[in-house]
Amino acid sequence: LIQSLKRIGLQPVAAKGTGSRLLLMITAPLERLEREAERLEMDMLLLDEAKSETDHQRGQPAYRGFTRRRREQFALKQGRLFSSLERQRLIFSMVEATADRGGAELNL
């Protein structure tokens, strides 16, 4: 399990849980999160200056699918590109995705 996660660029850390249980915490470097967000075309909030004229006229938040090429156009969440929930979703996606999509093929 741990080797499968490392193979796809994740960083698993095992810790002793209660009784005979083992806890597995999984992190990922920003570059790996960005690749997955791009693969999924994850909708993310645009900065005001990156909005189109139509978006400005509507006066509402604008979202676009994430691309690494346009990373500077997306709003930060508490100083981070991805919120905690977005990071969890991206890691979950990587864990369950098929190998041809860069995943570990694990069924959670």
Side-chain angles (χ1 to χ4, degrees), residues 76-88:
L76 298 179
K77 295 94 176 173
Q78 297 178 347
R80 295 177 170 231
L81 181 58
F82 300 108
S83 68
S84 176
L85 178 59
E86 288 167 335
R87 291 191 306 273
Q88 290 174 49

Side-chain angles (χ1 to χ4, degrees), residues 4-11 26-40 66 68 71 82 87 90-105:
S4 294
L5 298 173
K6 286 182 177 180
R7 179 180 46 77
I8 64 166
L10 297 178
Q11 300 168 332
I26 304 170
T27 62
L30 180 59
E31 185 275 331
R32 183 63 178 97
L33 294 170
E34 288 180 348
R35 277 192 294 142
E36 187 67 7
E38 188 170 63
R39 184 184 77 78
L40 296 173
F66 179 81
R68 289 174 281 180
R71 83 170 48 86
F82 300 108
R87 291 191 306 273
L90 290 168
I91 289 172
F92 190 81
S93 175
M94 290 182 258
V95 168
E96 289 203 326
T98 58
D100 62 312
R101 293 184 178 190
E105 296 186 327

